[in-house]
């Protein structure tokens, strides 16, 4: 490990890691782009590099991209990637309240803690924890996804019914395209553009970027928020706020680590689940969605903790934890390195390169974002009649870059209109997006679980882990209706009472 660390500290290698981290931050901050896209774009560049340097470059872009996503989420209310969706729920309201620097400080420190601690855990427990994932079948994966959607829907802003309705609509849209297993075309109406389903980037930018611009313009909310830069020390977050969020950070860290560790999950799910858990456990849940720093801590700790979590199955089993680690796995194979249990024996230097590069990059990203956190709010000083057109243009560029098809322009505008309708009907966006993301995974594992044995759906209810997760999902849905009755016997609960 020491030899690997010394080789990574060579001036040219450090420069490569630094530049790659900067590129990752920029890609993560731009709506529609991400660190994962950067990894894919830079992968061909690493062909002629030594394996250690090439892997270090890819990992640095990834770490920078996950951390950089908070910038757009907090300052503009537009998530740079799915891993930062939940950050917008409280980060952007904090910016509206003149607390942009505090929100950035909380997000930056939470990102650093999540990344560093998850990498340390991954280094120590990769061989042990990887065996646990092999014991989980499609029944557990389906139940985990259903539990996550139920939890987010039950704790969403508005009634439980509206949250579940929003999630159901997201699941419906996720079925567009070719079905898993049998490949049957559904709801494509003969269009080749719908064969692969609706584009996630178009959905994200439509619901957050274009919809936000149209909504703010229609309401006349175009004034530049007043950012209080006076008396800001350090990261702008007080020790009391760190202390009050200690358990929130620890809980969110383990949520992100565990979900990142499960193959096929990742930061797009962990940030939503951690946010919902933070709101559920909070003593002041009514503040969430209005500029509560607890939500920023939860989202950014969990999505960065998924970095170390997703490296565990990638390194120990050769199974990518998410889309970005799948590209990393391809990078290893290009250099003649086979990930899996034998990697620790045959190429220990590569294992240490992965982990140590992530730690070095996390430190560099912390420094870069600390320096820039007082400069980032300058974006908000740009008059909105200049900023809004730039946001819309970036939105259109972002949806084209990922697919190279103009059809995504139609989807972008359609999702923007859908977002306005959902706001009008008070349908929460969180459950809709999470259900849309997890829909294909839910359906695939449901069909696998039913067809693997002759017992049909019963194994979902009889396997202990699956049954516990489904029970927890049921409790999360029913509890908002039951708890008021327990507090005030004889009072019938109306789900419309908690609408805001």
């Amino acid at each position: 490990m020491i030899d690997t660390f010394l080789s990574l500290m060579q001036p040219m290698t450090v420069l490569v890691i630094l530049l790659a981290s900067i590129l990752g931050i920029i890609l993560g901050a731009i709506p529609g782009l991400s660190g994962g896209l950067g990894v894919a774009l830079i992968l061909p560049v690493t062909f002629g590099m030594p394996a250690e340097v090439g892997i270090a470059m890819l990992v640095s872009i990834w770490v920078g991209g996950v951390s950089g996503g908070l910038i757009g989420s907090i300052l503009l209310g537009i998530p740079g990637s799915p891993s930062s969706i939940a950050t917008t729920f409280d980060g952007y309201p904090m910016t509206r309240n003149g607390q942009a620097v505090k929100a950035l400080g909380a997000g930056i420190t939470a990102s650093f803690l999540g990344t560093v601690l998850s990498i340390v855990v991954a280094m120590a427990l990769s061989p042990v924890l990887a065996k646990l994932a092999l014991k989980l079948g499609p029944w557990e994966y389906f139940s985990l996804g259903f539990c996550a959607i139920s939890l987010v829907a039950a704790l969403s802003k508005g009634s439980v019914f509206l949250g579940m309705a929003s999630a159901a609509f997201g699941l419906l849209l996720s079925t567009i395209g070719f079905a898993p297993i049998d490949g049957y075309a559904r709801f494509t109406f003969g269009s080749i553009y719908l064969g692969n389903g609706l584009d996630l980037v178009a959905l994200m930018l439509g619901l957050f970027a274009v919809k936000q611009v149209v909504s703010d313009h229609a309401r006349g909310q175009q004034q530049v928020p007043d950012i209080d830069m006076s008396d800001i020390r350090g990261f702008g977050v007080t020790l009391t706020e760190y202390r009050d969020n200690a358990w929130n950070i620890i809980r969110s860290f383990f949520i992100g680590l565990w979900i990142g560790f499960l193959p096929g999950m990742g930061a797009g799910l962990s940030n939503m689940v951690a946010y919902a858990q933070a709101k559920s456990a909070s003593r002041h849940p009514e503040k969430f969605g209005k500029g509560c720093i607890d939500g920023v801590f939860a989202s950014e700790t969990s999505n960065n903790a998924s970095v170390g979590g997703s490296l565990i199955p990638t390194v120990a089993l050769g199974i990518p934890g998410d889309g970005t680690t799948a590209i990393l796995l391809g990078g290893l194979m290009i250099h003649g390195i086979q990930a899996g249990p034998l990697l620790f024996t045959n190429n220990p230097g590569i294992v240490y390169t992965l982990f140590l590069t992530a730690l070095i990059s996390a430190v560099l990203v912390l420094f870069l974002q600390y320096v820039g956190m007082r400069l980032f709010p300058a974006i908000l000083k740009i008059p909105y009649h200049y900023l809004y057109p730039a946001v819309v243009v970036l939105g259109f560029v972002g949806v084209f870059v990922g697919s190279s098809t103009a059809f995504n322009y139609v989807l972008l505008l359609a999702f923007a209109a859908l977002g306005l309708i959902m706001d009008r009907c008070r349908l929460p966006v969180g459950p809709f997006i999470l259900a849309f993301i997890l829909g294909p995974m839910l359906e695939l594992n449901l069909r696998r679980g039913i067809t693997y044995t002759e017992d049909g759906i019963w194994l979902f209810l009889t396997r202990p882990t699956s049954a516990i997760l489904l029970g927890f999902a049921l409790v999360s849905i029913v509890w908002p209706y039951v708890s008021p009755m327990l507090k005030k016997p004889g009072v019938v609960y109306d789900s419309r009472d908690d609408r805001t």
Side-chain angles (χ1 to χ4, degrees), residues 62 113-126 129-130 132-133 136 144 249-263 265-267 269-271 273-274 298-313 321-322 355:
W62 178 31
L113 291 173
T115 302
V116 170
L117 294 178
S118 69
I119 294 299
V120 171
V121 171
M123 292 174 68
L125 300 181
S126 283
L129 292 180
L132 183 59
L136 300 179
L144 177 63
I249 292 173
I250 294 172
R251 179 182 58 244
S252 301
F253 166 75
F254 281 106
I255 289 173
L257 184 71
W258 172 247
I259 292 179
F261 158 66
L262 298 174
M265 298 295 181
L269 170 62
S270 64
N271 75 107
V273 174
S299 173
E300 287 302 316
T301 302
S302 62
N303 63 21
N304 284 268
S306 295
V307 171
S310 60
L311 279 178
I312 295 173
D322 57 17
F355 292 140

Side-chain angles (χ1 to χ4, degrees), residues 1-320:
M1 180 185 294
I2 296 177
D3 292 339
T4 303
F5 177 75
L6 292 176
S7 66
L8 290 174
M9 294 308 294
Q10 296 295 322
M12 284 303 299
T13 306
V14 172
L15 180 61
V16 167
I17 295 174
L18 175 63
L19 295 177
S21 299
I22 294 173
L23 177 61
I25 293 173
I26 294 172
L27 291 174
I30 297 176
L33 307 184
S34 65
L37 175 63
V39 172
L41 294 175
I42 296 298
L43 182 60
V45 179
T46 66
F47 291 174
M49 297 181 178
E52 290 79 4
V53 178
I55 296 301
M57 175 180 283
L58 297 177
V59 172
S60 300
I61 294 175
W62 178 31
V63 173
V66 176
S67 299
L70 65 89
I71 298 173
S73 297
I74 291 173
L75 295 182
L76 301 174
I78 307 171
S81 64
S83 64
S84 297
I85 289 175
T87 307
T88 64
F89 297 162
D90 280 294
Y92 188 57
M94 288 183 70
T95 296
R96 288 284 195 184
N97 297 335
Q99 297 179 311
V101 173
K102 175 173 285 191
L104 287 170
I108 291 169
T109 53
S111 296
F112 174 76
L113 291 173
T115 302
V116 170
L117 294 178
S118 69
I119 294 299
V120 171
V121 171
M123 292 174 68
L125 300 181
S126 283
V128 179
L129 292 180
K131 297 179 181 178
L132 183 59
L134 295 177
K135 298 180 180 180
L136 300 179
W139 309 275
E140 287 77 18
Y141 280 114
F142 170 82
S143 299
L144 177 63
F146 181 76
C147 179
I149 293 174
S150 302
L151 182 63
V152 172
L155 297 173
S156 60
K157 185 178 180 181
S159 71
V160 177
F161 174 78
L162 291 178
M164 295 303 294
S166 179
F169 189 47
L171 286 174
L172 177 64
L173 292 187
S174 73
T175 62
I176 294 175
F178 294 111
I181 300 180
D182 59 9
Y184 185 78
R186 302 175 303 190
F187 307 114
T188 60
F189 305 103
S191 172
I192 60 174
Y193 299 110
L194 295 176
N196 291 325
L198 301 178
D199 186 68
L200 176 60
V201 175
L203 179 145
M204 216 169 49
L205 293 179
L207 286 179
F208 287 97
V210 179
K211 189 269 292 185
Q212 188 71 48
V213 170
V214 174
S215 178
D216 286 354
H217 182 76
R219 294 173 181 171
Q221 296 177 351
Q222 301 177 51
Q223 69 278 7
V224 177
D226 185 20
I227 308 300
D228 184 11
M229 300 291 292
S230 63
D231 201 27
I232 293 293
R233 294 183 176 85
F235 287 96
V237 184
T238 65
L239 291 176
T240 301
E241 288 169 323
Y242 282 121
R243 186 181 66 246
D244 292 343
N245 278 279
W247 174 241
N248 179 23
I249 292 173
I250 294 172
R251 179 182 58 244
S252 301
F253 166 75
F254 281 106
I255 289 173
L257 184 71
W258 172 247
I259 292 179
F261 158 66
L262 298 174
M265 298 295 181
L269 170 62
S270 64
N271 75 107
M272 301 286 285
V273 174
Y275 182 88
Q277 281 290 338
K279 182 177 179 180
S280 175
S282 176
R283 289 174 292 183
H284 42 77
E286 71 282 353
K287 294 183 179 180
F288 279 71
K290 300 176 182 178
C292 181
I293 197 172
D294 301 18
V296 178
F297 274 121
S299 173
E300 287 302 316
T301 302
S302 62
N303 63 21
N304 284 268
S306 295
V307 171
S310 60
L311 279 178
I312 295 173
T314 304
V315 172
L317 298 175
I319 301 174

